[in-house]
Amino acid sequence: MSKFELSIFDPNTLLPHRAGIAGFALVLSTLKIDGAPISWKITEDTVTLNWDCSDKAALDWLINHAYQIDEGMLNVPALSLSGQGKYTFSQGVTSTFLQHSKQRTLDKTAVMIPFKVDEHEPEILVSHRSMTDCYYLRELKGVFNSKEKFSTSISIKGHHLPGLVECYVNGEYEESPSGFIPLLFLPIACNYYLLQNGRYALVIPEVKNLKSWVYRRRQLSNRSYRDFRSPSAGEAGLRLLLEESLSDNLQLQKVEYCEVYQLGKQPWDGNQSGLKQAVYRVRASSQVLSVYQSAIALFPGKVKITDKGESWLAMSKILPWIAENLVNGKPWYGKFYEFRKSSVNDIKFERKGLTAMTEHLQPHEKTLFDAVQGAFSVFLFGQIKQATSQGRKLDYAQVTDKVIYRLQRPSTQQEFATALVDFLSQFRSKAARGLGREIYAWIHGEEWRKARDLTMLAIATYQGKKKDGATDAEDELVEIPDSESVIEAEDDGYEESL
């Protein structure tokens, strides 16, 4: 008789093992023990297995009930996946665990599958090559001895843990049977995301309670194609944690931490497309998740159509930048100075969402932000008067770029402080009155780069008011500053306070 106890608190397990045990528990929770060649028990932290048959017969029975090929896609009945869910799971596993052609057999000819992403948007077409065979449905080699008992040590490769590379000094990585079994069910516990440029993100959750995780996984397992797309690996990790935080049952222990494997090509190996490029360890507070929840609502993927009538799901350029900052524990607007300067990051089409994100600025950040916007409002007021007197329409983009260049050109703390003080002094507003000490602390302290980011953000997201006082929400309309913010030249309140 064989007996195995797979515990998530075993000191010899790593995060992938614990997630694999959770995936295994999910499969067992959907099977009927009557008539099965094995027996099992699931507690909050342990899966206990017993069987009288050979190890090979027991493991074959478990895998055959865990994985199936359904309509050319790898399917897990325990997940109860929809059509789009089957595609995203199959494509995710094929591009991560089973990325090598030796581990799966696909049709040579791809077919186009239509998916409805949004109710009021046209369908998008995705390419799919049907699966006819894969590692999980084949005879496992190197796992059992001649008596169909587990080998003492079992070799672990990339199809067990994506991105794993053989050590050229010590050879292949090896696991005991207790460590090998969870890795067979690890794909069931992971989330998969298609990133930009053909890269993939594999998200492995931290599991602290098996029963709670199994319950939530059943609720969140049915993913759509929109859920499958992500602009960056960091954003993929935050999305998993956000889904966990929004779970209805507050009594369950939720996932608070995850690891994200970013898989793609490496310059030193052009033959493999799924090598590990980076590992993100993502842990987020409720405040960070609140900011991210607003960001994902403001910068969703949108269905785009080409001149030829072809449609695809375009991803935001701003969302991955925000997610990267949140994952690294920085303010969501961090490095906006560099982001704005990059030629590939044209924020014009997402400016409205970026403006709405400024509601998440902290009070001390809002101080500098409002002061810069107040000065910019005064500057615009003068430009509008000049354009009106000359009988021409104000070129808002041109005058905005002029100010951005003026404040973007300095590269050192001293140069930036001088440029910002000159700008605030030349275009004085009520928004900066009495805030000299606060502004001084921003531009002369250790966080002057954050001040530079806030300054660029304030100008890039400025929106004035219409003549009726309503906020102007259109991106292309000329902004009319609030004339009440203008301080006449003889008002020296700002200069004294600074």
Side-chain angles (χ1 to χ4, degrees), residues 36 96 109 133 163 203 361 398 408 420 477:
T96 54
T109 304
D133 183 34
V203 184
L361 293 176
Q398 183 183 47
Q408 184 175 267
L420 182 58
L477 295 180

Side-chain angles (χ1 to χ4, degrees), residues 393-462:
K393 186 178 180 180
L394 177 68
D395 188 340
Y396 178 72
Q398 183 183 47
V399 298
T400 301
D401 289 342
K402 184 186 299 184
V403 176
I404 289 178
Y405 177 74
R406 174 178 177 174
L407 297 173
Q408 184 175 267
R409 183 173 52 183
S411 58
T412 65
Q413 180 271 330
Q414 186 174 3
E415 291 175 347
F416 170 72
T418 301
L420 182 58
V421 169
D422 287 346
F423 180 70
L424 295 177
S425 300
Q426 184 178 355
F427 305 103
R428 291 172 289 169
S429 73
K430 291 182 179 179
R433 179 179 290 174
L435 299 176
R437 291 184 178 181
E438 289 83 352
I439 296 174
Y440 181 91
W442 269 111
I443 61 180
H444 290 287
E446 296 180 355
E447 296 186 330
W448 72 271
R449 289 184 175 84
K450 288 174 60 177
R452 185 173 60 180
D453 294 331
L454 282 170
T455 299
M456 296 295 104
L457 182 66
I459 297 173
T461 60
Y462 174 82

Side-chain angles (χ1 to χ4, degrees), residues 160-200:
H160 300 119
L161 189 61
L164 185 65
V165 179
E166 178 181 345
C167 177
Y168 291 102
V169 177
N170 300 313
E172 297 178 341
Y173 290 91
E174 296 183 344
E175 276 284 4
S176 65
S178 296
F180 173 75
I181 293 175
L183 295 181
L184 292 176
F185 300 90
L186 175 59
I188 301 173
C190 297
N191 281 8
Y192 307 90
Y193 299 89
L194 173 60
L195 309 180
Q196 308 284 13
N197 302 321
R199 297 173 299 170
Y200 281 84

Side-chain angles (χ1 to χ4, degrees), residues 82-96:
S82 64
Q84 291 193 27
K86 290 177 184 178
Y87 171 82
T88 58
F89 177 80
S90 181
Q91 188 69 17
V93 175
T94 303
S95 303
T96 54

Side-chain angles (χ1 to χ4, degrees), residues 10 39 72 140 143 165 168 198 226 237 253 256 261 267 281 314 323 340 343 349 379 384 413 439 457:
D10 186 336
S39 61
L140 300 178
V143 178
V165 179
Y168 291 102
R226 177 181 285 280
Q253 292 189 21
E256 299 176 351
Y261 294 176
R281 294 172 174 85
R340 173 65 177 74
S343 59
F349 301 106
F379 167 77
I384 291 174
Q413 180 271 330
I439 296 174
L457 182 66

